[in-house]
Amino acid sequence: MIDRATVDRIYEAAKIVEVVSDFVTLRKRGVNYIGCCPFHNEKTPSFSVSPTKDIFKCFGCGKAGNAVTFVMEHESMSYVDALRYLAKKYHIEIQEKELTPEEIAHHTDRESMLVLNSYAQKYFSTILQQHVEGKNIGLSYFKERGFREDTIQKFQLGYALEERDAFTKEALKNGYKKEYLVKTGLTIEGEKDYLADRFRGRVLFPIHGLSGKVLGFGGRVLKTDAKTAKYLNSPASEIYDKSNELYGIYFAKQSIVRTDCCYLVEGYTDVISMHQAGIENVVASSGTSLTVGQIRLIRRFTPNITVIYDGDAAGIKASIRGIDLLLEEGMNVKVLLLPDGEDPDSFARKQDSSEFIQYINENQTDFIGFKTKLLLEEAGKDPVKRALLIADIVKSIAVIPDNIMRSVYISECSKTLDIQEEILYAEINKHSKSKFGNGFSQRKEAVSQLYESERKAMFEQRQAAVVPQSDLSQKTDMEMSALQIIRLLVRYGGNVLFENSNEATSEMEKYTVADYIVTELENDALSFENPLHQQMLSETKQFAGQEWHAENYFKNHVDIRISSIAVNMIAEPHQLSKMHQKDHQFEPEEKRLIQLVPRVILEYKNKVISIKEKNILLAFKAAQDAKNQEEMNRLDAEYCQLIEIRKILAKELGDRIVLK
Ligand SMILES: [Zn+2]
């Protein structure tokens, strides 16, 4: 565990704009920053970050929080891991407390798997650098490929020995559990306690997630006569879902933002060689065809993508299908064909970055044009083939969501294909009516549902802990009224409401807003329905009689559900008190707490009474139906009492109204 002083230092150091910028492209607008929300799918930004309040809030999906909760949600990290992540980012040394057994038990599977992967990465790197077999086979292979030592270190490359269970044995010896060895896929379990390493006699490429943690490994076998597959990956697990990851994204993200462009290549070594040549905005889909999850990962940083193909055009036609998906997601797609016989790896080794980038800029073409040319060459003059080709191109254009871009492509294709624009338009409309009519929107829906379910799985854990921001109109009167008190507690809880002289000591005593609320509610034996609200109230008692910073206390609360409530209160300061504001438009709220706080409490009490009244009336009717005279009498008496209280409250409230 991390001690409170360190936690406070981390909160102080973590600048929300800097933290969010590592994952989302932000643009300044007024005093705030805006970007596309990473928590729901959107194309127009509604995700707002406030550097002055140190919070974020999405006006699309309602997600809100501080720097720590952002990292927790975005990276599905635990609270402690998010703090560690930020401590590392801001070079804050962490004073760790000894873990209690309960805390250790609390470590989730996910964390245990990540810890194991990190250990495995270090183990394999050490083997590569120090073991005879690692040096002779693995390291010499990387050196042959021209990888420099700093590149090998940066990408944390490693080597797995030929031996059946060298790694598994070592990991078990070091206290790592078999359960996680199997869950991460590093170890394969057979019958009768048979355990074997998944990766044997392979060089290893750790696959890093956005925050730099090792999620899995890709292994390449070096023996040419090997009977196994050339490449072998970690299996899908709780921490590794290859359809949502891109190789190199951790090392590329900043450069992608800076250059506003992302290069997409096929293999690990393509990424590494280009990096080494000085081109860092490059990622690989690792052999799988592109998925929506991967595309959206890129789109968080840029809408511009250039797909780089090997010189030999064999695989191009197959992969072209995947690119329609990029267009459909509204990306600007360009394509680059390398000279014959070259792949990004070999080509990068022959040039420096400026030559390579110059080549890219001079030779990249837009995807539709590229596809048209490619298919045109193939079709030749064959009219049937040409007709099929036009249908194919039209299909690609039809999925582009942006009208203007679509019309630009249509006009270009009309020239290349020598067909009137009207005919192409008619063809596209046909698609939108027949195949794409329902089909298209259904497909879109299916795609976004797929995405949603991936997301859901990822964030389920976090979301369970976050109070959903429900529609205010759906809240009951009572909740609304309670929320007004909570809002005052969060914003002004530590402000002094008034001072009184103590008769015994004749010293002045401070009463804060929180003190007042606590006393008022306790005197009438009232509590909040929502246990979190009640907890917030109880916690303020520790500050009784002293000034304190309530906003910071709640915003940075250890319980992220409470932090989330507070952030929402801070993000929408006046939503709940419009009624009270009308007459005091020119006086800031904190100047009239002495009127506001008692009034809001009276209103709450009034609501409680109303509900009691309603319940008594219902019970009375039931008693009447049951002809239970005794019960009817009892309820009647209770009701009269209630009416009396109501009168007093109404008078007080009325007085307040006159007073203000
Ligand atoms: Zn959102």
Side-chain angles (χ1 to χ4, degrees):
M1 267 307 280
I2 305 168
D3 65 67
R4 186 69 217 182
T6 312
V7 172
D8 289 341
R9 262 205 305 285
I10 293 169
Y11 270 110
E12 249 164 59
K15 296 279 162 283
I16 187 85
V17 174
E18 292 170 8
V19 172
V20 173
S21 293
D22 280 347
F23 304 97
V24 179
T25 306
L26 294 175
R27 289 188 177 80
K28 198 160 188 340
R29 180 181 286 175
V31 289
N32 293 334
Y33 288 77
I34 56 155
C36 282
C37 178
F39 302 114
H40 83 283
N41 180 29
E42 64 175 7
K43 281 171 188 145
T44 43
S46 52
F47 183 79
S48 170
V49 178
S50 162
T52 47
K53 293 174 179 162
D54 251 332
I55 57 174
F56 71 90
K57 164 102 190 170
C58 172
F59 291 95
C61 67
K63 273 262 150 57
N66 57 37
V68 176
T69 48
F70 179 85
V71 175
M72 287 172 73
E73 295 243 349
H74 195 278
E75 297 298 283
S76 336
M77 277 185 192
S78 67
Y79 178 68
V80 174
D81 271 357
L83 287 173
R84 283 209 186 95
Y85 166 88
L86 290 170
K88 198 171 158 210
K89 181 175 167 69
Y90 288 97
H91 311 291
I92 293 167
E93 203 188 327
I94 289 190
Q95 303 291 334
E96 301 262 3
K97 283 194 304 187
E98 276 289 306
L99 285 179
T100 66
E102 294 88 73
E103 282 164 343
I104 291 168
H106 236 81
H107 265 246
T108 61
D109 280 7
R110 209 188 128 81
E111 287 167 69
S112 306
M113 288 162 78
L114 288 170
V115 168
L116 174 61
N117 269 354
S118 163
Y119 164 77
Q121 176 270 309
K122 287 186 195 96
Y123 167 87
F124 292 129
S125 290
T126 309
I127 295 288
L128 180 80
Q129 300 287 352
Q130 290 171 16
H131 195 283
V132 183
E133 185 186 327
K135 282 195 283 193
N136 286 347
I137 301 175
L139 197 57
S140 65
Y141 166 78
F142 287 136
K143 291 268 152 87
E144 257 168 57
R145 294 210 75 120
F147 291 176
R148 292 190 309 258
E149 189 52 43
D150 61 311
T151 308
I152 293 170
Q153 301 275 353
K154 178 176 179 182
F155 285 89
Q156 304 183 325
L157 305 179
Y159 179 79
L161 295 171
E162 281 273 0
E163 208 178 310
R164 190 192 86 195
D165 57 357
F167 165 73
T168 302
K169 263 198 316 216
E170 190 66 18
L172 288 171
K173 208 175 82 191
N174 280 284
Y176 291 93
K177 284 194 193 145
K178 189 180 92 180
E179 181 193 353
Y180 298 117
L181 283 162
V182 175
K183 272 190 179 170
T184 51
L186 284 163
T187 300
I188 298 166
E189 190 178 23
E191 277 171 23
K192 289 184 192 155
D193 286 335
Y194 175 92
L195 296 176
D197 294 352
R198 173 174 302 267
F199 301 107
R200 282 146 67 182
R202 288 172 186 268
V203 283
L204 291 182
F205 302 85
I207 298 156
H208 299 88
L210 262 185
S211 61
K213 297 209 170 197
V214 178
L215 307 178
F217 296 87
R220 186 192 195 283
V221 78
L222 297 178
K223 277 189 297 188
T224 43
D225 62 336
K227 282 177 236 104
T228 48
K230 187 168 157 197
Y231 279 98
L232 181 69
N233 281 335
S234 291
S237 71
E238 211 175 310
I239 54 169
Y240 180 54
D241 173 5
K242 70 175 172 188
S243 65
N244 272 324
E245 304 298 339
L246 285 163
Y247 182 72
I249 189 75
Y250 170 66
F251 303 104
K253 61 184 182 183
Q254 278 175 349
S255 174
I256 294 174
V257 171
R258 208 172 47 241
T259 55
D260 196 16
C261 168
C262 178
Y263 298 131
L264 184 69
V265 294
E266 217 173 298
Y268 306 127
T269 52
D270 295 331
V271 170
I272 297 174
S273 289
M274 283 178 73
H275 252 267
Q276 188 164 278
I279 300 168
E280 298 190 341
N281 50 331
V282 53
V283 297
S285 59
S286 319
T288 61
S289 52
L290 266 184
T291 65
V292 175
Q294 290 173 330
I295 294 166
R296 291 186 178 161
L297 193 56
I298 299 173
R299 207 183 56 203
R300 277 194 216 165
F301 304 104
T302 182
N304 304 310
I305 184 159
T306 298
V307 186
I308 300 181
Y309 284 116
D310 295 1
D312 52 63
I316 294 179
K317 265 194 74 188
S319 76
I320 266 179
R321 312 244 166 262
I323 292 183
D324 279 358
L325 212 53
L326 284 167
L327 296 172
E328 210 171 296
E329 284 296 314
M331 307 282 283
N332 308 318
V333 188
K334 295 211 161 120
V335 174
L336 175 80
L337 201 58
L338 292 173
D340 250 354
E342 299 281 6
D343 57 31
D345 180 10
S346 65
F347 199 59
R349 275 182 277 145
K350 290 179 192 152
Q351 343 243 328
D352 64 26
S353 67
S354 58
E355 286 166 337
F356 199 153
I357 289 170
Q358 194 189 349
Y359 180 86
I360 294 172
N361 290 338
E362 283 170 3
N363 292 281
Q364 63 183 1
T365 53
D366 76 82
F367 171 66
I368 301 282
F370 175 81
K371 182 170 174 178
T372 313
K373 229 179 95 204
L374 192 80
L375 295 182
L376 208 55
E377 272 165 23
E378 199 188 67
K381 292 222 180 328
D382 185 333
V384 179
K385 277 190 181 162
R386 271 183 73 95
L388 284 174
L389 149 93
I390 291 163
D392 201 344
I393 303 283
V394 161
K395 222 168 66 188
S396 287
I397 298 177
V399 299
I400 297 173
D402 187 273
N403 283 331
I404 299 169
M405 252 171 77
R406 223 165 37 220
S407 62
V408 170
Y409 281 126
I410 288 172
S411 108
E412 260 176 41
C413 275
S414 145
K415 282 180 211 127
T416 327
L417 295 169
D418 199 17
I419 295 176
Q420 286 169 14
E421 282 189 29
E422 289 71 32
I423 297 175
L424 289 174
Y425 271 112
E427 202 53 33
I428 284 176
N429 284 338
K430 219 162 75 193
H431 273 283
S432 4
K433 274 186 202 115
S434 62
K435 191 165 170 196
F436 290 104
N438 291 326
F440 180 52
S441 55
Q442 265 167 14
R443 181 156 164 237
K444 282 287 263 194
E445 213 163 90
V447 165
S448 70
Q449 264 171 10
L450 178 76
Y451 179 67
E452 282 315 314
S453 71
E454 288 162 357
R455 263 262 173 267
K456 228 174 117 192
M458 264 177 87
F459 291 111
E460 217 167 41
Q461 201 189 338
R462 296 287 137 241
Q463 270 167 346
V466 173
V467 176
Q469 218 231 351
S470 44
D471 187 359
L472 285 182
S473 63
Q474 281 176 356
K475 289 197 193 299
T476 64
D477 271 8
M478 174 109 134
E479 271 178 287
M480 283 292 286
S481 197
L483 277 173
Q484 296 210 27
I485 301 180
I486 293 299
R487 192 183 71 83
L488 292 173
L489 192 66
V490 167
R491 302 219 63 200
Y492 313 109
N495 292 28
V496 174
L497 194 63
F498 55 82
E499 287 183 59
N500 251 359
S501 69
N502 183 319
E503 281 172 19
T505 62
S506 72
E507 268 176 38
M508 293 303 275
E509 280 181 345
K510 287 174 179 165
Y511 287 89
T512 62
V513 170
D515 294 340
Y516 183 86
I517 296 174
V518 169
T519 320
E520 276 295 312
L521 294 181
E522 277 184 354
N523 282 349
D524 285 337
L526 293 176
S527 58
F528 293 122
E529 270 183 339
N530 183 330
L532 288 172
H533 292 166
Q534 191 56 36
Q535 190 192 334
M536 288 168 81
L537 189 65
S538 308
E539 285 184 16
T540 67
K541 289 182 199 166
Q542 62 180 300
F543 304 109
Q546 49 174 307
E547 282 178 81
W548 53 289
H549 201 300
E551 250 187 34
N552 276 359
Y553 177 80
F554 289 119
K555 188 177 75 185
N556 302 341
H557 200 279
V558 186
D559 188 334
I560 63 164
R561 294 170 305 176
I562 288 178
S563 144
S564 161
I565 291 172
V567 166
N568 276 305
M569 299 287 174
I570 298 164
E572 293 171 290
H574 299 301
Q575 275 258 320
L576 296 163
S577 67
K578 279 199 188 103
M579 196 174 73
H580 300 115
Q581 253 207 327
K582 249 187 294 180
D583 307 316
H584 298 276
Q585 279 174 11
F586 302 107
E587 206 180 348
E589 212 174 39
E590 54 205 292
K591 294 271 186 232
R592 49 197 173 80
L593 290 174
I594 192 67
Q595 286 102 30
L596 194 55
V597 177
R599 185 179 166 78
V600 163
I601 292 197
L602 280 172
E603 277 170 357
Y604 180 69
K605 288 181 182 172
N606 209 21
K607 290 276 154 58
V608 175
I609 298 284
S610 299
I611 286 164
K612 273 203 177 148
E613 195 181 315
K614 227 177 267 170
N615 288 341
I616 289 177
L617 289 175
L618 282 174
F620 190 84
K621 185 154 191 322
Q624 210 170 22
D625 289 347
K627 299 197 166 50
N628 183 344
Q629 191 59 45
E630 204 180 319
E631 176 73 355
M632 278 162 69
N633 290 345
R634 192 188 67 77
L635 288 167
D636 193 40
E638 205 178 314
Y639 189 69
C640 287
Q641 216 178 4
L642 212 60
I643 297 296
E644 279 309 305
I645 301 172
R646 207 182 209 323
K647 272 188 206 156
I648 298 167
L649 278 176
K651 184 173 178 318
E652 272 197 56
L653 268 169
D655 287 350
R656 296 270 164 203
I657 291 166
V658 178
L659 267 176
K660 69 169 194 221

